[in-house]
């Protein structure tokens, strides 16, 4: 009886380990378009500090966040470019300048979380994790951190 329990326990362990492929859980879905664009808008803007470690959503407090847009361009089912529109937001989440219009980029799936990078540079535009694009950033106050999280607005 003990031998059967041990065999079942080992088989269960091996089965659970083989079913748990962590890379597939964080990589972008294969269901994205072959060629085309997906438009994204801000779903939330989280503000973090040492008191609010889970963050506070401040997107509804400032209407200019509604004007921020990100368009991801696909070619052959892979991300090939991005168009970034800061809209009326009075600051940039980046410490580098993004050229206007379409910028060639790629999704670095070797990094976890996946990184949306400008082609030919080390500049990260956004991170892809748990099915969402996000952009962490800082403003003038060093004790506060922020993060944009996006939703598709194609519908």
């Amino acid at each position: 009886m003990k031998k059967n329990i041990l065999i079942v326990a080992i088989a269960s362990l091996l089965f659970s380990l083989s079913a748990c492929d962590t890379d597939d859980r964080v990589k972008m879905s294969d269901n994205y378009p072959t060629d085309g664009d997906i438009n994204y808008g801000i779903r939330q803007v989280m503000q973090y500090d040492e008191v609010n470690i889970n963050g506070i959503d401040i997107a509804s407090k400032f209407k200019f966040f509604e004007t921020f847009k990100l368009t991801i361009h696909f070619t052959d089912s892979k991300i090939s470019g991005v168009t970034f529109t800061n809209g009326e937001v009075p600051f940039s989440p980046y410490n580098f300048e993004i050229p206007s219009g379409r910028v060639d980029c790629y999704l670095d799936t070797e990094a976890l979380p996946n990184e949306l990078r400008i082609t030919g540079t080390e500049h990260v535009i956004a991170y892809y994790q748990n099915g969402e694009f996000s952009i962490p950033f800082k403003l003038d106050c060093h004790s506060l951190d922020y993060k944009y999280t996006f939703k598709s607005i194609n519908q």
Side-chain angles (χ1 to χ4, degrees):
M1 181 71 172
K2 287 184 180 182
K3 184 178 178 183
N4 289 339
I5 293 173
L6 183 61
I7 291 173
V8 169
I10 291 172
S12 297
L13 177 66
L14 292 174
F15 180 72
S16 67
L17 290 176
S18 67
C20 184
D21 187 355
T22 56
D23 287 342
D24 288 343
R25 289 186 290 137
V26 294
K27 289 186 179 178
M28 186 162 239
S29 169
D30 293 332
N31 296 332
Y32 280 87
T34 303
D35 292 311
D37 302 333
I38 297 180
N39 297 307
Y40 291 89
I42 299 241
R43 180 175 67 81
Q44 65 183 17
V45 180
M46 298 300 286
Q47 176 183 309
Y48 303 93
D49 62 33
E50 56 198 35
V51 175
N52 297 302
I53 59 172
N54 293 326
I56 299 170
D57 188 359
I58 61 170
S60 63
K61 309 276 190 257
F62 302 98
K63 293 295 181 190
F64 55 72
F65 286 127
E66 295 173 0
T67 64
F68 189 103
K69 304 287 185 250
L70 190 67
T71 302
I72 306 291
H73 307 284
F74 291 85
T75 305
D76 297 328
S77 298
K78 293 183 181 176
I79 294 177
S80 60
V82 65
T83 302
F84 171 80
T85 306
N86 207 37
E88 297 173 9
V89 179
F91 53 84
S92 172
Y94 304 108
N95 59 2
F96 56 91
E97 188 171 331
I98 293 193
S100 61
R102 182 183 168 131
V103 177
D104 290 337
C105 68
Y106 66 97
L107 188 65
D108 182 359
T109 58
E110 298 297 318
L112 294 176
N114 296 163
E115 298 172 336
L116 184 62
R117 294 182 167 273
I118 296 176
T119 303
T121 72
E122 291 297 314
H123 295 307
V124 176
I125 295 175
Y127 295 93
Y128 184 79
Q129 185 174 21
N130 299 327
E132 295 182 320
F133 285 101
S134 64
I135 301 173
F137 62 98
K138 288 187 102 29
L139 295 175
D140 292 337
C141 182
H142 296 287
S143 64
L144 295 176
D145 293 304
Y146 298 89
K147 180 172 79 169
Y148 289 143
T149 304
F150 296 93
K151 64 180 177 184
S152 172
I153 56 175
N154 278 357
Q155 290 87 3

